[in-house]
Amino acid sequence: MYPFDKFEAFKWVGGRLDGTMTEDTITTEDPITGEEIEIPADVEVGEIIDSPITGAELEVVSVDPISLEEAPELEEDWGE
Amino acid sequence: MNVGVLYSRIRRDEKLLLSELRDRGHEVTKIDVRKERFGVHEPPAVFEELDIVVDRCLATSRSRYITRFVDAYDVPVVNEPETAAVCADKARNSLVLANADVPTPATEVTFTKEAAMESIEEFGYPCVLKPVIGSWGRLMAKIDSRDAAEAILEHKETLGHYEHKVFYIQEFVEKPGRDIRVVATDGDPIAAMARSSEHWLTNAARGAETEPIEITPEMADLVERASDAVGGGLLGVDLMETGDSFTVHEVNHTVEFKALNEVTQTDVPAAVVDWLEARVRNVEVTA
């Protein structure tokens, strides 16, 4: 199943259906810069996201209310 | 079923797994290992009522310990502690593959830089020096000359943690600019991808290009044998092409699958959850 509910606009372009995929977002404060940023609304505690401003990794430490912290630095034994 | 997921950070891989579990109506108990205290007599309350625990710890050291504790709490855990211990250590990984007659690159371990130098000279140049613990290609050295070897060995001996004084030296395999990652559950391949790079390291985490690759019967056989050698489970088996065959250089125990999921038609998290469901059914039948 295609996630049609996430297409906000459909039109036929060159014989194919075209649309723009959008994701629900929420606004919160970037813990490094203090600026307001938009992040996916379905984040969960422990999730790592990239700051849209600095590119730094941020960890979601709570979702109600939403709160981010700078993620821990890479350690030597991290991996798979 | 109620699935405990051990984690310290939720990456895309864990998110895919959590979504698949929840979409199928399973209960998910996220366990942040940074916050729990693990007693040797009594398990933390969070482990009550769990049917299975999936270890998705990013830190190898945590993985090695926590799987032992969960096993001691009599909760089924994937991967099992012995598998985690073997896969976490490149020396042990190579040893079990060789013992199981799975083709694997020639490797020696030495404990002094003098013995390491002898080993390197015998392998010839280039050869490879790897830390026994580590991932994503970090701190790996392709050694092209005696001068480079002497410098790297001295640095490792002087600056390193004691584990860096376990010198793991391996032949350099002339692969065709790529290696192959197969994700498998108990030796049964889910999907495979080739990871290509102009750099000698072809880890996806280092930006290698990925593309799906068909699993041949020979690859499937090697994956099954490599999986058996480390004790089975949800694994990432890494192979290199050697011209007319393959060599298995590593088996990974907390395998990342987001890149594989993106390039293949196979729904990797769905296959993983299928396997978890079957595993829990199996436990219920035998209990």
Side-chain angles (χ1 to χ4, degrees), chain A residues 46-49 57 78-80, chain B residues 6-18 55-59 136 254-258:
Chain A
E47 188 168 343
I48 301 298
I49 56 168
E57 286 190 326
W78 283 14
E80 46 179 353
Chain B
L6 301 164
Y7 77 98
S8 52
R9 46 160 56 190
I10 304 287
R11 297 164 289 177
R12 180 86 187 123
D13 312 81
E14 285 73 41
K15 192 87 190 252
L16 288 166
L17 190 59
L18 292 170
D55 168 32
R56 295 297 307 173
C57 287
L58 185 59
W136 300 334
T254 46
V255 60
E256 293 168 329
F257 50 78
K258 61 180 181 294

Side-chain angles (χ1 to χ4, degrees), chain A residues 40 42-49 57-61 71-80, chain B residues 7 9-10 15 18 22 30 34 58-61 133-136 138 164 181 252-256:
Chain A
D42 66 345
V43 291
E44 56 183 287
V45 172
E47 188 168 343
I48 301 298
I49 56 168
E57 286 190 326
L58 306 175
E59 179 178 344
V60 179
V61 291
E73 298 250 335
L74 175 76
E75 293 194 36
E76 197 178 329
D77 69 335
W78 283 14
E80 46 179 353
Chain B
Y7 77 98
R9 46 160 56 190
I10 304 287
K15 192 87 190 252
L18 292 170
R22 288 171 180 147
K30 285 164 57 188
R34 296 169 299 180
L58 185 59
T60 300
S61 51
I133 305 286
S135 266
W136 300 334
R138 291 191 311 272
H164 291 292
R181 157 64 57 87
N252 299 278
H253 72 291
T254 46
V255 60
E256 293 168 329

Side-chain angles (χ1 to χ4, degrees), chain B residues 26-226:
Chain B
H26 296 304
E27 202 174 330
V28 175
T29 303
K30 285 164 57 188
I31 304 167
D32 185 345
V33 298
R34 296 169 299 180
K35 295 179 179 163
E36 294 294 334
R37 293 153 54 198
F38 303 98
V40 295
H41 293 106
E42 291 295 327
V46 72
F47 286 95
E48 287 171 15
E49 310 296 326
L50 296 181
D51 295 302
I52 196 164
V53 168
V54 182
D55 168 32
R56 295 297 307 173
C57 287
L58 185 59
T60 300
S61 51
R62 290 172 183 165
S63 226
R64 281 159 59 204
Y65 285 108
I66 188 59
T67 50
R68 294 270 176 215
F69 275 84
V70 178
D71 188 52
Y73 298 154
D74 278 334
V75 181
V77 58
V78 292
N79 288 318
E80 292 179 7
E82 195 52 28
T83 300
V86 167
C87 293
D89 183 320
K90 284 190 173 54
R92 293 190 65 184
N93 209 322
S94 296
L95 201 54
V96 297
L97 290 173
N99 275 346
D101 287 329
V102 176
T104 195
T107 303
E108 289 186 357
V109 167
T110 71
F111 302 115
T112 62
K113 65 179 185 181
E114 291 75 19
M117 199 64 231
E118 280 178 33
S119 187
I120 288 167
E121 290 273 286
E122 199 166 304
F123 274 121
Y125 301 99
C127 64
V128 178
L129 188 60
K130 299 179 180 178
V132 285
I133 305 286
S135 266
W136 300 334
R138 291 191 311 272
L139 297 177
M140 291 197 185
K142 178 183 170 193
I143 302 175
D144 291 314
S145 68
R146 186 181 174 93
D147 288 346
E150 286 173 348
I152 294 165
L153 292 173
E154 187 174 359
H155 277 80
K156 282 176 79 76
E157 196 175 62
T158 308
L159 302 174
H161 178 267
Y162 67 86
E163 276 170 344
H164 291 292
K165 296 176 182 65
V166 179
F167 300 105
Y168 175 99
I169 303 137
Q170 196 164 65
E171 68 169 315
F172 179 74
V173 177
E174 285 285 359
K175 59 188 178 188
R178 67 179 197 176
D179 76 347
I180 295 166
R181 157 64 57 87
V182 185
V183 172
T185 48
D186 285 332
D188 186 15
I190 295 175
M193 65 180 179
R195 307 179 294 188
S196 307
S197 173
E198 287 180 14
H199 196 275
W200 72 280
L201 291 169
T202 48
N203 303 68
R206 295 181 81 102
E209 287 183 16
T210 53
E211 59 178 339
I213 189 169
E214 191 185 341
I215 300 164
T216 65
E218 185 186 0
M219 285 163 65
D221 174 63
L222 283 176
V223 167
E224 186 179 3
R225 287 163 56 204

